[in-house]
Amino acid sequence: MEKQELLYEGKAKKLYKTSESDVIWVEYLNQATALNGKKKDLIKGKGSLNNQITSLVFRMLTEAGVPNHFKKKLSETEQLIEAMTMFPLEVVLRNVSAGSFSKRFDVKEGTPLAKPIIEFYLKDDKLDDPMMNEDHIQLLGLATAKEIKEIKKMTLEVNKVLQKLFKEIDIQLVDFKLEFGKQADGTILLADEISPDTCRLWDVKTGEHLDKDVYRRDLGNLVPVYQEVFERLLKLESI
Ligand code: TMP
């Protein structure tokens, strides 16, 4: 397999074509961004940790039967994934009030939610990723009612699997963001990454933030925190 021309450069990843049309080569970058790119820094070691954490988590999701795009970890910073048509959506699931939910609805951070809730955002930096509902998604032709139903079902399933895994390593899964894609035959697969960049992870014992809020809120150095999450996940592997 050969890495070919650059297809897309995002804030945290570069995607390359390969010699196989259905396979994409992903390189995780050391760039950290917040506030839709307004806060930006190079953090050595971040790309490698996120690639390794995402690879582990996707492998565990595969074992749990969640269909996803992950094919293979190639190196500390690179992986192969399945090429798909992506839904331009960010799907957020929340178990506990935090971040924008706490701000928008004035609910104290840390308040448990009676049931997991799912929110949709349009993936569009120019528009600042506006929140949208299922009617908006269908009206704009971004996904059908059936596809939205499937995406929600898969998101709840990911939550069940991840909550259980993280609980075993003393981490509370507060919320997370997923992205989905569609294969040529219409099959929906979980895509993108699952890492401390895209989840809120709180230490069960200390309440400490083990995620990107450390960077967003200037709470300290992100690298040892991501390293801690990686090491705890590695322990799970050996169980
Ligand atoms: P929020 O509380 O800022 O809406 O974030 C909810 C979750 O989604 C949190 O775990 C961080 C993640 N997230 C992303 O991965 N990318 C994003 O662009 C945003 C806004 C949130």
Side-chain angles (χ1 to χ4, degrees):
M1 179 86 48
E2 252 175 68
K3 182 162 104 178
Q4 298 183 339
E5 74 256 32
L6 184 68
L7 272 176
Y8 170 82
E9 179 164 1
K11 293 194 276 272
K13 295 186 276 289
K14 280 183 178 173
L15 306 187
Y16 298 88
K17 270 191 171 173
T18 66
S19 39
E20 287 181 30
S21 63
D22 59 341
V23 181
I24 288 178
W25 187 299
V26 187
E27 185 189 344
Y28 277 69
L29 308 174
N30 281 334
Q31 181 160 274
T33 60
L35 309 167
N36 197 12
K38 287 177 207 92
K39 177 173 158 85
K40 192 153 118 181
D41 288 283
L42 266 184
I43 301 181
K44 198 163 167 266
K46 175 178 173 285
S48 145
L49 282 161
N50 276 349
N51 179 51
Q52 297 189 83
I53 291 171
T54 295
S55 299
L56 254 179
V57 171
F58 271 79
R59 257 207 1 251
M60 290 169 178
L61 286 168
T62 302
E63 277 166 29
V66 178
N68 66 72
H69 75 164
F70 181 73
K71 284 188 174 292
K72 191 178 172 198
K73 189 178 99 180
L74 291 173
S75 72
E76 280 201 359
T77 55
E78 296 161 301
Q79 60 176 260
L80 295 179
I81 59 165
E82 180 128 357
M84 286 187 290
T85 307
M86 294 296 292
F87 293 99
L89 298 172
E90 300 203 333
V91 184
V92 168
L93 182 144
R94 303 179 189 273
N95 293 305
V96 175
S97 179
S100 70
F101 181 92
S102 284
K103 268 209 193 104
R104 184 177 288 123
F105 302 114
D106 193 22
V107 177
K108 195 172 176 300
E109 279 217 322
T111 309
L113 303 176
K115 63 174 193 132
I117 64 154
I118 294 177
E119 297 169 351
F120 296 101
Y121 295 85
L122 177 65
K123 213 174 143 64
D124 188 325
D125 283 345
K126 282 195 310 297
L127 299 176
D128 234 349
D129 295 350
M131 193 174 177
M132 58 195 328
N133 66 26
E134 296 179 30
D135 282 344
H136 296 137
I137 296 173
Q138 288 174 68
L139 185 86
L140 295 174
L142 308 180
T144 64
K146 191 166 163 245
E147 287 167 342
I148 297 169
K149 197 171 165 202
E150 177 68 10
I151 286 171
K152 285 174 79 177
K153 191 175 136 216
M154 288 173 74
T155 302
L156 289 169
E157 185 58 28
V158 170
N159 187 45
K160 266 197 203 142
V161 176
L162 293 189
Q163 265 191 319
K164 184 165 172 280
L165 286 177
F166 281 119
K167 197 171 168 204
E168 284 179 52
I169 50 174
D170 282 335
I171 290 175
Q172 182 181 27
L173 180 62
V174 171
D175 57 33
F176 57 85
K177 184 267 298 175
L178 302 178
E179 294 184 26
F180 292 87
K182 188 163 63 162
Q183 290 178 299
D185 69 355
T187 306
I188 295 177
L189 300 183
L190 174 67
D192 197 50
E193 71 175 281
I194 297 181
S195 73
D197 266 12
T198 63
C199 301
R200 279 200 176 86
L201 306 169
W202 293 355
D203 187 285
V204 166
K205 290 189 184 127
T206 63
E208 212 181 326
H209 295 278
L210 301 174
D211 55 54
K212 197 166 141 186
D213 275 347
V214 169
Y215 173 73
R216 293 187 193 98
R217 301 177 185 189
D218 292 320
L219 301 175
N221 185 353
L222 158 164
V223 170
V225 168
Y226 284 28
Q227 182 72 37
E228 172 70 21
V229 173
F230 181 44
E231 280 168 17
R232 288 199 204 179
L233 281 167
L234 282 176
K235 271 190 224 151
L236 263 184
E237 271 224 307
S238 54
I239 290 174

